[in-house]
Amino acid sequence: MVTYKQFQKSAETILPHTEERQSRFRRKGAEGRMPALFRNEKIQMLVVALGTAAAGEFKINPVPGDLFRIGLGGSAFLLFLLLMNRLPYIRTGIYTAVTVIVFRILLDHLFLPVAPGWLDSLRVHTSGGLYYLTFSAGMYLIQNQLERMNLLLLGVVATCIDFSSNTVEMILRWLLNGSDIFNPATWGYIALVAGLRGFFVTGLYSSIAVSQIRALSLEQNKRMEQMLSVNSGLYGEVFYLRKSMDTIERVTSSSYRLYTDLKKAELKDFSQRQLAITQEIHEVKKDSQRVAAGLLKLFDQDAQTLLAMSEILDYAIRGNRKYASMMQKQIVISAHLEQDFMTADYIPLLTLLNNLLANAIEALDHSGAIELRMEQEGKWTVFHVSDSGKGVPEKIRETIFEPGFTTKFGEGGSAATGIGLSHVHDIVISLGGSIALQSGEQQDHWNTVFVVKLPTEALKKGE
């Protein structure tokens, strides 16, 4: 009898709640969802520059005239840099500075009643471009720490970079245009806006990052569910194959002993025919060993994953709800968990639970209810799989766990090829447990109740 411990090094799975993976999701940011065209670095920098230039035209002017602007450009630029933090910040700042200057000069000549000269317009708007270049330089200094930086600290740092960039802009405006920079109220207003803008954008970035993490976590949950379904199916097939190999081994030995007996009896023709049969059986055994070895490689990973019992029940319930829907049956499947803990034996658990639930679904006509309950009884972890179907007739209760037993037949009268209760029984035994069908007086309002008892200590060994 093969035990699950031979498959203990299971395929490495992806758990959605690890810190390292969340950091990678945040690093990908918006880039991972962009069309292929926008994955080009220069295209991305141009998008940042144009988006910032356009957003900068939504503005207020705290200083009389049009010499100093506070608009959405700074907010948009900061958000772009946070979301696309793999871009070269300095080059992105240069792209943005040049684009903003050219964009504002063109707007002056297109929409102002009296267009200023090109040099005058350049002198007015150069300081605005310098703001973005200075801002990108400040962000470059913390670019490598962005993923590890506390959001509150990031808001403070963004505020300081914003205020410093505005300071450089104001000084250049004073040098080029002679604007008044000595009004304390102006500086107080700039500081207030820098703080509001820094913390608002940081909060917005945090919300976007969390939304992306959730979306990617849902996607990985789906992939994990598919992987667990495949692995539990493979586990069942390898389990049966190893059992068949044990049977083939015994048949080979018996066949060879028969050959030696025939040879001793000097029945040469019969002994040679028996030897040929023994060799054929031996070839079948070797082929089975090669297939089993190939399947076992799928489980041969260095890392061992642990899964919570609550997650195992959740995956089993969700997978079989889909199965019930595929069979066009209106079935309510519920679960109750008394105590949660981690286990490395999630593949055999999923295999036996999936098949008990699938058997229950097949036993129901068009509608009904199924309950999966996990309880603790002393040193045992006990699973109850109950359904409201027709129940198991008394006359076959004693034989349902015997090899070859089935009540399911195809259209041509052939027995079903799915997992049988005898194999479920063998998996349970390999885990050191037991399985039984409750008698009528123990079933409450359920017509069929299978009870699986497994040693809790053995299940927790990988925890």
Side-chain angles (χ1 to χ4, degrees), residues 87-107:
L87 289 178
Y89 278 1
I90 299 298
R91 277 198 290 155
T92 303
I94 294 172
Y95 268 61
T96 304
V98 172
T99 302
V100 167
I101 293 171
V102 172
F103 189 77
R104 290 180 180 177
I105 291 175
L106 289 176
L107 289 181

Side-chain angles (χ1 to χ4, degrees), residues 180-197:
D180 182 14
I181 64 171
F182 300 105
N183 186 348
T186 299
W187 289 102
Y189 190 84
I190 291 173
L192 176 63
V193 171
L196 293 175
R197 185 157 54 190

Side-chain angles (χ1 to χ4, degrees), residues 206-225:
S206 176
S207 300
I208 294 173
V210 168
S211 298
Q212 290 173 341
I213 289 172
R214 287 176 179 171
L216 289 171
S217 294
L218 289 173
E219 182 180 343
Q220 292 213 334
N221 273 337
K222 181 179 178 181
R223 291 181 181 179
M224 184 178 180
E225 185 177 346

